[in-house]
Amino acid sequence: MMVELLLIVAFGGSLLTYVLGKLSSRLRNGFALLNALALVIMIGMLYGQEFERSLPFGFLGIQFSIRMNMLSWFFAATILGIGLLAVLYSFRYMKGKERLDYYYFTLLFINASMLGTVVAGDLLSFFIFWEMMSWSTYLLISLRGGGKAIFAGIKYIIMSLVGSLAMLVAIVSLYTAFGTVDIGELAVHMQSASLGLALLVVILFSITFVIINALWPFHTWLPDAHAEAVSPFSAILSAVLVRKGLYGLFLLMYVILGFSFLDRLAVGAISFSNVLAWIGAITIVFAAFRALLQNDSKRILAWSTVGQGGYMVLGVSVATSMGMAGGTFHILNHCIYIALLFFVAGAIEHRTGGIRDLDSLGGLIKKMPVAFVGGLVGIFGLIGLPLTNGFVSKWLIYKSLILEGRPFLAFAAFLGTWGTILYGYKFIHNIFLGQLPDELRDVKRVPFTMAVPIMVLVVLVFLFGVLPGIPLSVVNQVGTYMGFEPLDLNVWGIPSESGTLNVVNLLAAIAVAGFLVWLLFKTLGRSTRVDQSDNYAAGAAIPRGRYGFTREFYAPLYRIVSPYVKDFPDALFLWIADRTKALGGMTRKIYSGYVGSYVMYIVLFLAALVFVQLTWSPW
Amino acid sequence: MRIVWLFLSPLIALVAGVLLLGLSRKIMARIHWRYGPPLLQPVIDIIRLFSQRSASHGILFDLGIVVSLAGSLIITLFLPFGNIAPLSGSGGMLVILYMMLIGPLGIALSGGESGNPNASIGISRNLMLAIGYEVPLLMVLLAVMTRYGTISIVEIVRVQQASTWSIASWPLVVSGLAYLLVMPAMLGFRPFEVVQAPQEISSGPMVEYGGSYLALVSIQHALSLYITISLFVNLMLGGSGNIVIFLFKMLVVFVLFLFVNAVFPRFRIEQAVRYLWRWPTLIGLIGLVLVALVGR
Amino acid sequence: MDRNQLIKWLEAPAKMGHKYSLHAVYFCTGCGIIEVPPSITARWDAERFGVLPTASPRQANLFLITGYVSVKTLKAIIRTYEQMPEPKYTVGFGSCPINGGMYWDSYNTIKHLDKYIPIDGWIAGCMPRPEAIFVAVTHLWTLIDKDMADGYKRYRKYYSQYRANQEKVLLGLEWPPLFPIEAG
Ligand code: SF4
């Protein structure tokens, strides 16, 4: 009963939050937090259980069913964990804004529907939950109102609708072929399916999942959506919502189809996983260079989300147990540090009065130390420096690519990481380092309820980086569920003979060397702390107000790469949208509204009929 | 024994690096027809710097330097040094690649905290130059790793010891050529000396460093010279089973690039990146394709 | 290096470091700077004395005031001097910094530089040849040896006077005092 209860609590909680909000805002906040907390506890109790059960009701004669296994559990845990932190973070962030009842309701509702997609046991209920998720996301993206927010929302919902339609067609064709949409049964039936049907289904489903996962060339909705969404929701969007695409791919590739079938879906070197891998590789490189060109803190993070999705797909499509573990672990890691980074960006936005432009910030390390630590650790995780969680998953992905003999894919992955360093440093530098401008002199610290989620995630980044064995054992179980060999593990890393990773050595070495150097520095060096105004400026006193190098941080590189990394897919989609609108305009010209012209159409039509009849006499 | 080497190999790297620095000043002077400073001039400078009282700009300003030097010290444990590699069993090339980031990143954070635009410009150039040379370098490294089918650098050295140096073996010679072309950029030698550029941006990231800060940065610089050359020797020139021969190989490589350094003027950063993304990348790509075709 | 040098190194490494690693700020005040390029390049090679030009005052410990000091330049000189880490040495190079030289009656030239910053030694001449720089450097070595190059200590000790003089001639400074100024 646990899973049903989970869904009831999730959906009921969101509705109740809305109702309570009408009574008192404190009550609403408290209840939202309690609800999120209860969900986390419940999912914790479900750890390790595996079952599938049909519900007593259905739709169109199809029995609904739910399932719980390690794959579902893994995704559900990330959803609910990030959900809890986002609710906590929202209290201060959203304070004083309008339509709060609506906001909390939608936030919790999205969480509930995402939870629904991962516990759905048949494709129909999966589809229904998926639609709920899409529509409520649309509502939350456009929450702020105004032309841009509406535009971003529309952009998202159109792409999402295309995806949903593709999925619906796939589900219907599966249903007509096998008469069932239950995932477990489909997995059995699919083994005897014809290749044509399988190809159709795979392509249709892939479109859906690639769109929601924001992979190239369907990434275009994500940057706009992030630029408009509120920060706590951005965290959810980037950390867990787009990763529903990967859940779908897992479901499709390894649960429904299975390895042996996937291998059959190949024409020479072009196989499904190869195509997917190359999409991932292109996504990584393209997103890294696009992120370099951005000047808005949240847009940078949005592009990094796009790029990191590429790593996961790379790991998943290699389809060795190491690559799979890397890809799956990267989902968890990415969800931790990207949520952290969005929380930090949101805190900056909150305290500076809505500044997100990286050219007008600077020097905030002195004013917001917590945000700085969060940002730094998040960027380190994003880059994947040793001792952060990103390192372990990226290590697994690189290693599986190299050992599988796919140097070009590995090259794309590496190059993406180096791009990440560039934009990650820009993010840190332009916000926190350099001179503090005059207008930011009295910025306050991060408020407590916003600092707590940030600190929790900081700890997690290091915890999973230093003790990768703990999360990897869960990841291993996910892999085993999908039919992969479990990796050989210990708490500190991977002691297998094909290449070991031992984080404890790294930790010890870094700690000892750091300590020794620090000792040297402290015993031999003497220094006095000086103010930021005491700075070398060729003998002049530094100018007051703004003094720093932030604008066009990588200008020479922009000039080199910008002709090559134009966002062609975005331009293409916008062009299509434009044409469609023009087509609509043309149709409207035909329906001019004058009775006279309608009469003329009818007369012309009749004349044509008469003409045809007289000339060829077909009737 | 392993414990001893854990502490000894960073020390040897430190000494070797500082000597290389001193040697470079001496050799440069002789190429310029000057007498040049004594060989130990870098040591004298470092002693002087440590005895000076300097200005600090904040906690990150201090920590960045410390982390950067510590990171550089640790890489020497992963790189085989002759027949010794105390920590080589902890992740191989991938860990080395990532650890090599810590040095520049530490300095970048600390330099950024100094709040000087010159420092920021220098760092931005440094990162751009890094992505410039990483593109061909990664191709070379992937070619080597794919060719030998391993990510362990000890393994790579062992295979070379058993057969021939990578740079003398068939498909890898192309990659070796690309590696040679990017080495000056990795060492920060002219024509790629855009990062410090004392004449235009007042030594870039180091503009606010004085006293012990500058001393640590000098040590880090010496170490990074050591690391870069040692990586090249290990990957391309077959490493060595013997410490003396290993150091000799390093010396030869270093002097070779010093000659390039002595006679060239400087690129602009844009020209540097364009160059790096043109010729070395092309050659590196050919090398990688060849390796992918020839296989193991 | 002879043997008593070695003993000196062991006795006072810091002092020897200061002696043999004099990094000069590359700061051009007057026409005297024209003698610096030949002295640091192949012809005279200052590097064999351990003298190197540096780009930023933070890295330097030697300040050569190479020529006449106008009131405007004085401000930059003070700023640069204050940013150099201690211990630091200043040498006035040419007649102009000493007493105004050929600008002795100019309204806009500082005649007594050591009223504004402490000077450890002077090189006379208009302009002195590069050899004179090396004579000065070796002379500075003996001064450091005998602890007589103590300009930076004087600056600390009499800072309030120096600051008062500076503010008087420059009509106020844009930066706060380097050291606390004792009242009266
Ligand atoms: S001393 Fe002579 S050379 Fe030097 S600044 Fe004065 S006038 Fe010029």
Side-chain angles (χ1 to χ4, degrees):
Chain A
M1 270 325 271
M2 214 43 189
V3 181
E4 290 90 329
L5 197 63
L6 199 67
L7 283 176
I8 292 167
V9 171
F11 280 103
S14 64
L15 285 171
L16 208 56
T17 309
Y18 186 75
V19 176
L20 286 178
K22 297 286 166 214
L23 300 177
S24 128
S25 63
R26 276 175 172 280
L27 202 60
R28 173 198 65 208
N29 288 0
F31 181 77
L33 190 65
L34 267 182
N35 184 34
L37 193 65
L39 286 173
V40 170
I41 293 170
M42 281 161 81
I43 199 73
M45 281 153 65
L46 274 170
Y47 173 76
Q49 296 190 27
E50 192 165 328
F51 54 82
E52 182 166 0
R53 191 180 317 127
S54 42
L55 293 181
F57 52 91
F59 182 67
L60 296 179
I62 297 168
Q63 194 86 64
F64 282 163
S65 64
I66 50 170
R67 62 214 300 267
M68 186 36 107
N69 48 52
M70 273 324 276
L71 181 64
S72 307
W73 187 86
F74 177 77
F75 277 93
T78 57
I79 291 166
L80 296 177
I82 296 296
L84 173 64
L85 295 179
V87 168
L88 181 60
Y89 184 88
S90 299
F91 293 160
R92 279 305 286 272
Y93 183 86
M94 295 302 291
K95 200 171 172 189
K97 298 212 167 74
E98 285 174 4
R99 294 194 288 167
L100 281 187
D101 304 334
Y102 172 70
Y103 165 77
Y104 282 105
F105 163 70
T106 331
L107 194 70
L108 290 174
F109 191 80
I110 289 177
N111 267 352
S113 48
M114 283 194 288
L115 189 67
T117 55
V118 296
V119 298
D122 61 300
L123 289 179
L124 189 64
S125 53
F126 180 76
F127 179 76
I128 292 172
F129 283 127
W130 187 278
E131 281 301 283
M132 286 179 177
M133 177 181 97
S134 298
W135 283 100
S136 44
T137 306
Y138 164 67
L139 294 178
L140 210 43
I141 288 175
S142 323
L143 177 76
R144 282 189 183 167
K148 274 185 170 174
I150 303 287
F151 175 73
I154 296 274
K155 206 168 172 182
Y156 163 74
I157 198 66
I158 288 179
M159 298 199 70
S160 166
L161 273 181
V162 171
S164 309
L165 278 180
M167 180 152 77
L168 191 62
V169 173
I171 292 174
V172 168
S173 52
L174 277 178
Y175 185 68
T176 46
F178 304 117
T180 174
V181 287
D182 186 84
I183 291 172
E185 287 173 31
L186 273 180
V188 181
H189 284 302
M190 266 322 260
Q191 299 311 318
S192 56
S194 70
L195 269 185
L197 176 71
L199 202 63
L200 178 77
V201 169
V202 162
I203 289 175
L204 287 174
F205 269 121
S206 304
I207 289 175
T208 321
F209 299 141
V210 165
I211 286 177
I212 200 76
N213 206 7
L215 292 177
W216 185 90
F218 300 113
H219 58 273
T220 61
W221 60 273
L222 192 67
D224 282 333
H226 272 303
E228 293 310 322
V230 292
S231 282
F233 176 61
S234 282
I236 289 184
L237 182 61
S238 252
V240 287
L241 202 146
V242 292
R243 300 306 164 227
K244 290 288 87 51
L246 274 167
Y247 173 75
L249 279 179
F250 281 165
L251 209 61
L252 174 71
M253 288 171 71
Y254 300 115
V255 178
I256 297 184
L257 291 180
F259 295 109
S260 47
F261 203 87
L262 274 183
D263 287 344
R264 275 166 52 205
L265 280 180
V267 187
I270 308 170
S271 69
F272 176 65
S273 39
N274 258 344
V275 172
L276 205 58
W278 276 105
I279 288 181
I282 294 172
T283 310
I284 292 174
V285 176
F286 179 75
F289 282 100
R290 277 304 291 185
L292 267 178
L293 307 177
Q294 305 304 318
N295 235 346
D296 174 313
S297 58
K298 280 176 77 179
R299 266 181 196 269
I300 283 193
L301 298 180
W303 279 104
S304 86
T305 306
V306 174
Q308 301 297 310
Y311 283 94
M312 299 162 201
V313 167
L314 264 190
V316 169
S317 57
V318 173
T320 59
S321 45
M322 191 176 269
M324 195 64 209
T328 319
F329 191 24
H330 205 63
I331 295 175
L332 175 63
N333 292 337
H334 177 262
C335 119
I336 294 172
Y337 56 68
I338 205 72
L340 173 59
L341 285 172
F342 271 116
F343 285 160
V344 169
I348 304 288
E349 199 186 352
H350 180 68
R351 279 308 196 196
T352 55
I355 302 184
R356 290 209 319 242
D357 178 18
L358 288 183
D359 288 343
S360 35
L361 292 164
L364 284 176
I365 178 173
K366 299 177 184 90
K367 297 289 169 189
M368 307 175 87
V370 172
F372 169 71
V373 170
L376 191 68
V377 171
I379 291 291
F380 278 1
L382 190 64
I383 295 172
L385 282 186
L387 301 192
T388 61
N389 55 4
F391 173 68
V392 183
S393 49
K394 279 192 177 175
W395 188 89
L396 288 167
I397 294 171
Y398 295 145
K399 182 157 187 237
S400 57
L401 286 173
I402 292 168
L403 292 189
E404 283 293 294
R406 295 179 140 181
F408 294 100
L409 294 178
F411 174 72
F414 273 121
L415 187 60
T417 301
W418 260 262
T420 311
I421 295 170
L422 264 75
Y423 67 75
Y425 182 74
K426 179 183 172 179
F427 181 84
I428 292 287
H429 175 273
N430 286 14
I431 295 180
F432 296 107
L433 305 182
Q435 301 253 337
L436 186 70
D438 269 355
E439 60 267 24
L440 297 179
R441 283 213 183 259
D442 32 46
V443 167
K444 292 201 217 54
R445 280 166 180 266
V446 185
F448 180 71
T449 50
M450 287 164 89
V452 169
I454 291 178
M455 286 335 278
V456 167
L457 291 171
V458 165
V459 171
L460 280 183
V461 168
F462 280 122
L463 188 70
F464 288 178
V466 176
L467 302 172
I470 299 170
L472 270 176
S473 67
V474 176
V475 167
N476 243 350
Q477 290 178 49
V478 176
T480 325
Y481 171 75
M482 288 186 287
F484 288 92
E485 292 273 300
L487 279 184
D488 201 10
L489 286 180
N490 63 21
V491 184
W492 302 104
I494 297 143
S496 72
E497 62 287 344
S498 59
T500 44
L501 175 68
N502 197 338
V503 183
V504 70
N505 277 351
L506 277 174
L507 176 69
I510 289 176
V512 171
F515 178 70
L516 288 180
V517 174
W518 187 77
L519 218 59
L520 179 81
F521 180 72
K522 278 291 156 196
T523 48
L524 287 180
R526 288 159 302 150
S527 60
T528 31
R529 182 72 193 272
V530 297
D531 186 65
Q532 65 168 5
S533 63
D534 187 0
N535 221 316
Y536 170 74
I542 65 163
R544 291 195 61 78
R546 290 197 63 80
Y547 182 59
F549 176 74
T550 53
R551 197 166 294 267
E552 303 199 335
F553 200 66
Y554 299 117
L557 202 62
Y558 294 165
R559 286 202 287 276
I560 299 176
V561 300
S562 55
Y564 304 104
V565 292
K566 290 223 176 71
D567 201 344
F568 290 120
D570 194 32
L572 176 70
F573 294 147
L574 287 181
W575 182 81
I576 291 175
D578 219 40
R579 288 296 97 194
T580 321
K581 228 192 222 160
L583 201 68
M586 258 155 63
T587 335
R588 204 170 307 118
K589 276 209 191 85
I590 297 174
Y591 296 103
S592 60
Y594 288 118
V595 180
S597 41
Y598 292 137
V599 172
M600 187 181 78
Y601 294 151
I602 294 169
V603 170
L604 277 179
F605 181 67
L606 284 178
L609 277 186
V610 170
F611 177 75
V612 169
Q613 171 68 8
L614 288 182
T615 323
W616 294 289
S617 59
W619 296 291
Chain B
M1 204 53 209
R2 186 159 167 228
I3 301 286
V4 176
W5 279 113
L6 272 179
F7 288 92
L8 213 55
S9 56
L11 271 186
I12 295 177
L14 205 63
V15 172
V18 171
L19 280 181
L20 285 182
L21 217 55
L23 201 68
S24 80
R25 283 170 76 169
K26 193 77 184 172
I27 292 178
M28 287 283 284
R30 299 326 285 257
I31 294 173
H32 294 162
W33 286 46
R34 290 189 280 126
Y35 181 74
L39 187 62
L40 289 180
Q41 185 65 38
V43 182
I44 304 177
D45 288 349
I46 289 170
I47 292 176
R48 187 266 290 185
L49 287 169
F50 267 127
S51 67
Q52 279 187 307
R53 165 177 285 279
S54 48
S56 157
H57 278 280
I59 299 168
L60 189 64
F61 191 69
D62 304 2
L63 277 185
I65 297 269
V66 171
V67 167
S68 147
L69 181 54
S72 303
L73 277 174
I74 294 163
I75 309 178
T76 57
L77 300 176
F78 292 93
L79 281 169
F81 167 63
N83 47 355
I84 300 139
L87 279 190
S88 60
S90 311
M93 281 295 298
L94 300 178
V95 172
I96 295 176
L97 265 177
Y98 267 101
M99 297 294 282
M100 280 172 81
L101 292 176
I102 294 182
L105 260 184
I107 291 188
L109 288 173
S110 157
E113 166 78 335
S114 73
N116 194 309
N118 288 317
S120 302
I121 295 174
I123 294 160
S124 110
R125 287 185 183 186
N126 194 2
L127 294 175
M128 284 189 280
L129 188 67
I131 201 164
Y133 68 68
E134 285 298 343
V135 171
L137 179 68
L138 288 172
M139 286 180 178
V140 172
L141 297 184
L142 283 168
V144 173
M145 285 190 272
T146 317
R147 170 81 178 145
Y148 294 123
T150 174
I151 63 161
S152 153
I153 189 162
V154 179
E155 193 69 20
I156 290 172
V157 170
R158 204 170 48 228
V159 177
Q160 291 183 69
Q161 293 280 312
S163 54
T164 65
W165 296 358
S166 317
I167 203 164
S169 68
W170 159 229
L172 283 182
V173 63
V174 186
S175 302
L177 187 62
Y179 203 165
L180 279 176
L181 288 180
V182 296
M183 272 295 273
M186 293 176 67
L187 291 167
F189 278 2
R190 277 184 289 262
F192 299 99
E193 194 213 19
V194 283
V195 177
Q196 303 198 354
Q199 294 88 338
E200 30 172 337
I201 49 169
S202 312
S203 68
M206 288 143 64
V207 59
E208 278 295 307
Y209 293 156
S212 42
Y213 298 90
L214 194 58
L216 292 192
V217 172
S218 314
I219 297 174
Q220 200 271 337
H221 181 58
L223 271 176
S224 75
L225 282 184
Y226 172 90
I227 290 161
T228 314
I229 299 173
S230 153
L231 189 66
F232 182 79
V233 170
N234 273 321
L235 287 182
M236 285 292 154
L237 300 186
S240 172
N242 184 326
I243 297 178
V244 181
I245 295 179
F246 187 79
L247 287 178
F248 180 70
K249 280 181 184 173
M250 283 184 57
L251 187 69
V252 172
V253 173
F254 182 67
V255 171
L256 182 72
F257 289 109
L258 214 54
F259 288 161
V260 178
N261 181 27
V263 295
F264 267 96
R266 197 168 67 218
F267 274 144
R268 272 197 344 248
I269 176 69
E270 202 175 332
Q271 293 167 326
V273 176
R274 272 186 206 280
Y275 163 80
L276 287 168
W277 280 358
R278 193 167 294 149
W279 299 113
T281 304
L282 193 65
I283 298 172
L285 188 65
I286 294 173
L288 189 56
V289 171
L290 280 178
V291 168
L293 288 182
V294 175
R296 293 196 181 165
Chain C
M1 276 188 215
D2 53 27
R3 199 163 288 149
N4 45 10
Q5 281 250 340
L6 263 181
I7 292 169
K8 276 188 194 169
W9 269 107
L10 293 178
E11 274 174 355
K15 191 187 272 182
M16 296 303 274
H18 297 147
K19 266 173 73 177
Y20 294 121
S21 156
L22 288 168
H23 285 197
V25 204
Y26 206 86
F27 186 111
C28 324
T29 55
C31 23
I33 196 65
I34 209 68
E35 294 298 328
V36 171
S39 50
I40 59 176
T41 48
R43 181 72 190 269
W44 276 285
D45 186 22
E47 205 181 353
R48 66 203 149 119
F49 295 93
V51 177
L52 262 188
T54 63
S56 145
R58 300 273 189 210
Q59 305 166 357
N61 61 345
L62 174 64
F63 197 176
L64 279 176
I65 316 276
T66 51
Y68 56 83
V69 178
S70 70
V71 174
K72 209 172 170 183
T73 319
L74 179 65
K75 194 187 263 183
I77 287 179
I78 295 165
R79 185 78 177 145
T80 307
Y81 180 74
E82 289 188 347
Q83 283 180 345
M84 285 164 64
E86 292 176 354
K88 47 194 169 186
Y89 312 106
T90 28
V91 174
F93 179 83
S95 337
C96 285
I98 300 179
N99 57 4
M102 62 187 275
Y103 303 99
W104 60 277
D105 59 350
S106 160
Y107 67 98
N108 197 26
T109 307
I110 301 296
K111 257 74 85 181
H112 294 281
L113 185 56
D114 48 359
K115 273 167 72 179
Y116 309 104
I117 59 167
I119 306 288
D120 291 304
W122 305 96
I123 310 174
C126 175
M127 54 186 47
R129 287 184 54 80
E131 291 93 330
I133 296 183
F134 302 126
V135 174
V137 165
T138 43
H139 196 69
L140 191 58
W141 288 354
T142 39
L143 287 185
I144 295 174
D145 251 350
K146 295 179 184 158
D147 283 329
M148 283 162 70
D150 56 354
Y152 65 96
K153 289 183 193 153
R154 268 183 283 143
Y155 196 63
R156 235 172 219 279
K157 198 165 168 196
Y158 304 115
Y159 182 67
S160 35
Q161 279 98 317
Y162 278 118
R163 176 90 185 180
N165 285 347
Q166 290 163 4
E167 278 176 356
K168 203 163 124 199
V169 69
L170 293 174
L171 312 175
L173 290 173
E174 294 138 347
W175 56 87
L178 184 64
F179 307 114
I181 296 181
E182 66 272 23

